Amino acid sequence: DNENAEGILPIAELVNYISWRKKERKMYEVRWPADETSLLQGTINDKPVFILVHPLYKYYNFITDYPYLLSVHIHFNETQDDGLPADNTEDIYKVEDFAIAVIGTNGHHVVSETHNGTRTIFCYIDTLQNAQQFSAAIVSGVASHKLSTNIAFDKYWIEMMKYI
């Protein structure tokens, strides 16, 4: 009844106002959690396992925007009896850094696991096409280690919940 009251929008302007508020809200949403990591260690079948996990993804609100799990397996050139690398670990970290750089802002590196002669990087990617392109680029861009990759649809990050 009182169209001139302060703070009251006419119905005709409400649709535009709601669209504007949604755009404003998106500007302030946290699309990338803080870069916090935890190192977990244990054993599986009497062999050591080391897991680097980004635990803040447990509270990440945009997991369904990144439904494709890209697993990159870096196979060690030489291993000790316990399955840990006998070769230079710096080279393994360089391969991991390269893979994460290839993915860029089209995905999230959530977990890295080192066990039984392999370091596996788990990343969630926005589209299947990007996951396939990243997989090919990572494999073709690394000559120092044998790599294998796997892509799975995991919209709710079920595979990573055991870690985070």
Side-chain angles (χ1 to χ4, degrees):
D1 291 339
N2 188 359
E3 289 182 14
N4 295 328
E6 190 175 326
I8 303 290
L9 287 175
I11 295 288
E13 294 179 27
L14 193 56
V15 171
N16 291 335
Y17 175 77
I18 291 171
S19 295
W20 173 78
R21 288 294 294 165
K22 284 181 179 179
K23 287 178 188 172
E24 281 287 305
R25 191 172 129 218
K26 273 194 166 188
M27 287 175 43
Y28 297 102
E29 290 176 336
V30 176
R31 297 297 293 193
W32 301 92
D35 191 17
E36 180 181 310
T37 57
S38 296
L39 179 64
L40 309 173
Q41 58 184 1
T43 59
I44 298 175
N45 298 329
D46 295 327
K47 292 193 176 188
V49 60
F50 295 94
I51 300 168
L52 180 70
V53 62
H54 298 272
L56 295 180
Y57 280 109
K58 181 176 183 174
Y59 309 106
Y60 186 58
N61 292 326
F62 304 99
I63 61 173
T64 57
D65 292 347
Y66 300 87
Y68 293 95
L69 174 59
L70 172 61
S71 305
V72 179
H73 309 279
I74 306 167
H75 305 282
F76 303 152
N77 294 328
E78 295 180 37
T79 60
Q80 301 174 32
D81 291 338
D82 60 4
L84 294 178
D87 49 354
N88 185 355
T89 56
E90 287 300 318
D91 291 341
I92 296 166
Y93 297 139
K94 286 179 185 176
V95 173
E96 182 177 35
D97 291 343
F98 171 73
I100 293 167
V102 167
I103 292 165
T105 59
N106 292 306
H108 295 274
H109 169 235
V110 182
V111 172
S112 292
E113 179 179 287
T114 304
H115 175 66
N116 203 20
T118 304
R119 181 161 181 101
T120 304
I121 307 163
F122 297 100
C123 301
Y124 280 91
I125 311 299
D126 57 354
T127 67
L128 178 59
Q129 181 181 11
N130 279 343
Q132 292 167 334
Q133 288 176 350
F134 298 153
S135 175
I138 292 166
V139 170
S140 68
V142 173
S144 62
H145 289 78
K146 180 183 174 207
L147 302 180
S148 59
T149 62
N150 184 51
I151 299 170
F153 183 76
D154 185 16
K155 185 174 184 175
Y156 299 105
W157 294 22
I158 301 300
E159 289 298 315
M160 291 302 106
M161 289 305 155
K162 61 187 171 191
Y163 298 108
I164 59 175

